[in-house]
Amino acid sequence: MSGPHHPLIESRQSLIEAGKPIFMQIAEQIENDIIDGAIEEESPVPSTNEFAAFHRINPATAGKGVNRLVDDGILYKRRGIGMFVATGARQRLVGARTEQFRTNFVGPLLDEAAKLGITPEQVADMIKNPTATERKANNS
Amino acid sequence: MTRTDPDTAVRVAGLTKRFGTFTAIDDVSFTVERNKIYGLLGRNGAGKTTLMQLLTGQQFATSGTLEVFGASPVENARVLQSLCFIKESQKYPDSFRPEHVLASAPWFFANWDAAFAARLVDDFRLPLNRPIKKLSRGQLSAVGVIVGLASRAPLTFFDEPYLGLDAVARQIFYDRLLEDYAEHPRTVILSTHLIDEVSNLLEHVLVIDEGRILMDQDAEQLRGSASTVVGKKTDVDAFVAGRDIISRDGIGGLASVTVSGLSEAERTAARAAGLELSPVSLQQLIVQRTTSTTGSPTTHDAVTATDAWSTHS
């Protein structure tokens, strides 16, 4: 028996979290690999069956995640060879994620700041210089 | 009866099975699509095994219709040749050793792959020439799992196949099932209590409870279909008012309520209201759905849990 005792086996299952559609998680992981350069543009991504075997998930589910990126134009299919990252995919993903960053992080941050009477300028100060602005915010 | 539908492995309509006054399967209708891995899930005595016995022609239906690959499985050689049913406690002739089981398997299974079986024997470290009677519980289960995988039957049932199998052996089973299924797609119906372990393998979920189908859903739709909202009781109550409440729990001034179908905007609203959201695994979801219907909720909040259910049913 070879595979089953490999330490990776314990860790890889935790890459998939419960309670969230797996195909979305697969799509996000591929996106992350493209954004941080782990998979370069015009290079191949693993096959659906490889994703399924690695993450121990149903191949149809893995295929759904890959197809979602094909629909978004992030990946494209080369007949008989496999899936490849499209040119310009990284820039488009960074653009989309920046929008998400604004709604998911900056929005709630400013909402909470407003609740506490912290102005956006003070928030910006805090971000630039965390230790100094802490005192300033307490004084105001 | 219709002719063989290329996309459908099993079609069941109004199926009922009674044993005396006990109704094991109660007016059940569903279809199983070909080349998907199904989970047949439910509590002990829910009717899982009876349903699989009906589908494999080992029990006669009291009423209703049942087609497997377009025909009734009962006494139908063409249909039965396409099936493999791995039972929790398969009986073998007294004199049998695992090597005899593997040697006779090709007589029953047209797609039998002896090389794959040999590899599985190595994986599970199964002693081939030890009498079946002398095998450990886990080794006996391994025999069934090997037959179920290497038979590559177009419709394979695994009924709690891994009694006594340790965690490593179960993982080998899942890995080999996925690998082989990817190369040789076929219909697999996996019945188990270990929902968390298998949930990611499943494409579709059938949940049976007290002889009825409680859920018949795409596994991906089920995942993320429910969230648990935790926070101050008054805040939680305000947020969940009017929603589909699956279960409710609480202690002191804290409440924890599982609701279905929250949109992204609703999630943001919940967080803004100071509530914590946590995902619900397939297992938790099924446990909550199947305990809610028994009429004896075990939550601290028994009264409200029952109320919540009555709004749902």
Side-chain angles (χ1 to χ4, degrees):
Chain A
M1 261 184 323
S2 54
H5 296 297
H6 197 278
L8 239 181
I9 287 181
E10 262 48 69
S11 61
R12 72 183 182 187
Q13 213 137 34
S14 61
L15 293 173
I16 298 287
E17 47 177 289
K20 188 175 174 188
I22 296 171
F23 79 95
M24 284 172 61
Q25 299 185 53
I26 296 294
E28 275 169 24
Q29 283 173 21
I30 300 172
E31 285 179 3
N32 287 339
D33 284 347
I34 295 170
I35 288 170
D36 68 21
I39 310 178
E40 286 176 23
E41 292 179 0
E42 294 305 325
S43 66
V45 295
S47 74
T48 296
N49 286 345
E50 284 169 331
F51 276 118
F54 181 75
H55 291 292
R56 297 204 163 106
I57 56 173
N58 189 291
T61 310
K64 228 170 132 185
V66 171
N67 284 336
R68 186 186 140 125
L69 295 180
V70 173
D71 291 344
D72 292 349
I74 300 299
L75 302 180
Y76 69 96
K77 191 183 228 164
R78 280 192 203 161
R79 194 171 286 276
I81 306 176
M83 295 292 178
F84 286 75
V85 181
T87 298
R90 184 175 180 279
Q91 203 188 340
R92 289 188 29 228
L93 286 174
V94 169
R97 288 287 184 94
T98 306
E99 270 316 300
Q100 284 173 21
F101 179 75
R102 197 187 285 274
T103 41
N104 295 345
F105 294 96
V106 180
L109 177 80
L110 292 177
D111 288 349
E112 179 71 11
K115 221 187 272 176
L116 301 174
I118 305 170
T119 66
E121 290 71 31
Q122 286 172 317
V123 172
D125 275 350
M126 283 180 179
I127 291 168
K128 283 181 203 147
N129 195 348
T131 43
T133 47
E134 198 176 330
R135 201 167 43 84
K136 205 167 148 194
N138 286 341
N139 289 345
S140 67
Chain B
M1 295 237 170
T2 53
R3 274 313 300 162
T4 313
D5 175 346
D7 297 327
T8 307
V10 173
R11 189 186 301 278
V12 163
L15 185 68
T16 298
K17 175 66 185 175
R18 289 197 193 90
F19 296 101
T21 56
F22 175 67
T23 305
I25 299 293
D26 190 1
D27 190 19
V28 156
S29 302
F30 64 92
T31 58
V32 172
E33 286 174 44
R34 285 195 197 191
N35 298 339
K36 288 190 175 183
I37 302 179
Y38 277 69
L40 178 59
L41 311 172
R43 304 182 62 185
N44 290 326
K48 303 188 296 284
T49 299
T50 304
L51 184 58
M52 286 187 280
Q53 286 172 338
L54 287 162
L55 293 176
T56 51
Q58 300 180 0
Q59 290 278 358
F60 297 101
T62 306
S63 59
T65 60
L66 186 166
E67 285 173 24
V68 179
F69 296 123
S72 166
V74 176
E75 308 269 329
N76 184 326
R78 177 184 69 81
V79 171
L80 293 176
Q81 273 166 10
S82 316
L83 307 183
C84 178
F85 184 12
I86 301 303
K87 288 173 234 169
E88 188 177 345
S89 46
Q90 176 70 50
K91 298 280 187 291
Y92 300 94
D94 272 353
S95 60
F96 256 41
R97 299 165 195 267
E99 57 195 359
H100 299 130
V101 177
L102 301 188
S104 56
W107 306 340
F108 304 103
F109 304 111
N111 300 338
W112 180 258
D113 183 333
F116 183 34
R119 186 178 153 214
L120 292 166
V121 166
D122 280 350
D123 283 341
F124 288 107
R125 300 177 178 172
L126 181 67
L128 278 179
N129 54 9
R130 188 176 300 172
I132 294 261
K133 284 186 294 189
K134 301 258 169 81
L135 294 182
S136 73
R137 183 58 248 194
Q139 287 169 329
L140 192 60
S141 292
V143 175
V145 163
I146 292 169
V147 171
L149 289 173
S151 62
R152 292 207 183 115
L155 176 56
T156 306
F157 296 85
F158 288 103
D159 185 8
E160 295 289 351
Y162 27 48
L163 210 62
L165 283 187
D166 59 41
V168 172
R170 294 201 302 275
Q171 199 62 74
I172 294 171
F173 168 55
Y174 305 140
D175 284 353
R176 296 295 176 263
L177 171 64
L178 273 186
E179 279 168 26
D180 201 61
Y181 165 80
E183 277 178 44
H184 305 275
R186 53 202 192 258
T187 311
V188 176
I189 298 182
L190 186 55
S191 168
T192 179
H193 295 116
L194 302 176
I195 303 173
D196 267 345
E197 281 196 8
V198 302
S199 70
N200 292 355
L201 310 185
L202 307 176
E203 185 166 353
H204 199 98
V205 173
L206 288 168
V207 178
I208 184 168
D209 196 40
E210 296 181 324
R212 296 203 175 116
I213 299 285
L214 194 64
M215 287 186 209
D216 177 357
Q217 243 182 315
D218 183 84
E220 282 288 88
Q221 278 170 10
L222 272 179
R223 271 187 279 270
S225 70
S227 309
T228 300
V229 184
V230 184
K232 272 202 306 202
K233 195 170 183 308
T234 47
D235 296 345
V236 172
D237 285 345
F239 182 76
V240 302
R243 292 185 194 281
D244 175 20
I245 295 173
I246 297 166
S247 75
R248 172 187 283 274
D249 205 344
I251 182 161
L254 275 181
S256 162
V257 176
T258 302
V259 293
S260 63
L262 288 185
S263 70
E264 205 46 54
E266 290 172 317
R267 295 174 165 277
T268 312
R271 286 195 200 95
L275 300 173
E276 264 184 58
L277 288 174
S278 55
V280 180
S281 73
L282 211 56
Q283 170 151 313
Q284 290 169 320
L285 191 63
I286 289 165
V287 165
Q288 289 174 349
R289 288 279 194 198
T290 47
T291 46
S292 306
T293 51
T294 56
S296 54
T298 52
T299 53
H300 308 293
D301 249 339
V303 177
T304 44
T306 319
D307 287 346
W309 182 256
S310 64
T311 63
H312 181 75
S313 59

